[in-house]
Each structure stands twice: as C-alpha cells, then as structure tokens.
Amino acid sequence: MSMTDPVADMLTRIRNALGRGYPAVDVPASTLKRDIAGILKNEGFIVDFGPVSDVPHPTLRLRLRYLREGESVIKGLKRISKPGKRVYIGHRDIPVVMGGIGIAILSTPKGVMTGQQSRREHVGGEIMCTVW
C-alpha cells in the first residue's frame, strides 16, 4: 500500500485509537511525525512518545492522554494542508484554534512549530493541521 499522506494517516490513527479508548497508538516513524508528536506532548495532548523496538520498521508509539472520566484530552484533529492542495500562510494569518484552546501545527523554515511559536518568531509556513 502506498501512502500519499503520512500526516493524515497519523492523525487518523490517533483519532481511531481515541475512539476505541486505546492507551497508545503506533505510527510509522519519520522525522516530521516525531516533530508533530513532540509538539503534541509539549502542549499536553499526549502523555509521551518514543520508538518501538520490537517491530521490523521504524515505528513511533504515542501514549494517549485521557481525563479521569476516560474522556480524551484531544477533542479533534484536522488536516489542513494536503498533498493535493498545500496551504501556506504568513505569520499574521495563523488561525487561533477553538478560541485558543487548540493549536495549529506549522512546518516553517525554522522547523515544525505551533501557530503561537511561529507568530512569536514572525515566521509563516505550511499549516499542516489543527488539534483541539
């Protein structure tokens, strides 16, 4: 199976695992996905992530975060820029997600960062997804 959009695949795997209440989800590893997982961890959307050693292909395991009632911390994930339609924005046009509750994740010339960071750094880029 050829995968045309690995980021969308990662978001879908997270969405599906949350829907089933799984404690963790495995995604094929890449530098971009590791950077996205790092942001999700720093922003408190996941507990932790790391490489999985007992599988043949490079894989990342994301430990999902739930509230005490078993409700997921992540309410939604949305892919914005897609392989067929890339979406680039300047630092002034970065959206505020869910009134500031959520985050936008951008790929910028200075690396992968949140919308808030890229506003601070005055750098725009490709808006990959939003998480709330």
Side-chain angles (χ1 to χ4, degrees):
M1 176 187 110
S2 81
M3 200 183 320
T4 54
D5 191 353
V7 174
D9 174 72
M10 176 183 184
L11 298 178
T12 299
R13 286 173 189 239
I14 293 170
R15 207 177 289 116
N16 291 344
L18 291 170
R20 303 287 303 171
Y22 292 163
V25 62
D26 291 355
V27 296
S30 74
T31 306
L32 177 62
K33 290 186 225 171
R34 198 169 291 115
D35 292 345
I36 292 172
I39 288 175
L40 291 176
K41 180 184 175 190
N42 292 343
E43 297 293 320
F45 286 107
I46 62 173
V47 177
D48 204 1
F49 70 98
V52 182
S53 54
D54 56 351
V55 290
H57 301 289
T59 303
L60 280 178
R61 179 163 292 152
L62 281 59
R63 287 190 30 241
L64 304 172
R65 174 166 276 160
Y66 294 92
L67 303 172
R68 221 174 280 113
E69 307 80 50
E71 187 186 347
S72 158
V73 170
I74 296 174
K75 301 288 177 250
L77 305 134
K78 185 174 186 220
R79 182 76 161 119
I80 307 291
S81 187
K82 302 179 172 93
K85 186 176 190 289
R86 298 283 181 198
V87 179
Y88 297 94
I89 52 176
H91 73 276
R92 287 184 181 87
D93 302 321
I94 295 165
V96 174
V97 181
M98 292 290 169
I101 301 166
I103 59 167
I105 299 177
L106 285 87
S107 176
T108 73
K110 294 186 177 179
V112 177
M113 56 179 73
T114 66
Q116 205 173 13
Q117 287 170 304
S118 43
R119 258 187 240 108
R120 247 196 327 270
E121 305 250 342
H122 296 288
V123 60
E126 181 183 352
I127 179 163
M128 294 191 293
C129 60
T130 55
V131 184
W132 66 93

